[in-house]
Structure formats: structure tokens, C-alpha cells
Amino acid sequence: MRSVLPVLLVLALTVYCVVSIVQAGEGEVRNLPKWGWLLLVLFFPLAGGLAYVVAGRPAAGAVGRRTPPGRRPGPKGPDDDEDFLRGL
């Protein structure tokens, strides 16, 4: 059982990093492009995963602020929507 735990921890770190890299926007990851981090994490799971968590993860303020692809940021309320105001 003791020999299985480190393997599971490295596997969990690798899965976390891969999911984080894939979900991050192209400009959100730091210090390397997304494909570079992905290769580093997949070829060197422990060292690459730790390096990504320390030096590559998006900054805390950048997460959740991006607009989904193909969509423009919408108005905050009805008084900010020009189409709505034109229809009044």
C-alpha cells in the first residue's frame, strides 16, 4: 500500500495539471506556451507538474475572467444594452 500512494499522488498531480492547462486560455499560462507545459507535464510528471503549479499556472485574478470562444462580453444590465434602449 505504501508504494501505491506516491504513484497515485503523482498521477493526481499530472491529471490536475493537464486539465488546468487544457482549460486555461492561451494568454493565461505563464512562462511557456500551453503546448510546452503540456509536454513538460506529460514527459516529466512529477517535476513538470510541480514546475507548472509553481511557475505556469494562471494568476489567481485571471481565472474565470475570460469570455468563452465566439462570444463577446455582453452588457451588465438592460440600461447598458444599446439594442434594448433602441427598442424603447
Side-chain angles (χ1 to χ4, degrees):
M1 183 63 177
R2 286 184 176 171
S3 63
V4 175
L5 186 60
V7 173
L8 289 178
L9 289 175
V10 171
L11 182 64
L13 177 66
T14 304
V15 169
Y16 167 76
C17 290
V18 168
V19 169
S20 177
I21 293 167
V22 169
Q23 288 182 345
E26 190 62 42
E28 291 179 2
V29 290
R30 300 177 292 154
N31 299 322
L32 281 177
K34 285 175 60 169
W35 61 267
W37 281 117
L38 197 58
L39 290 176
L40 188 67
V41 167
L42 291 176
F43 286 129
F44 306 103
L46 182 60
L50 291 175
Y52 175 74
V53 168
V54 171
R57 226 173 22 163
V63 176
R65 288 189 180 176
R66 63 188 168 120
T67 304
R71 296 191 60 190
R72 62 181 178 93
K76 301 289 183 202
D79 56 339
D80 294 335
D81 189 359
E82 293 179 19
D83 293 332
F84 176 77
L85 293 175
R86 255 188 249 120
L88 290 179

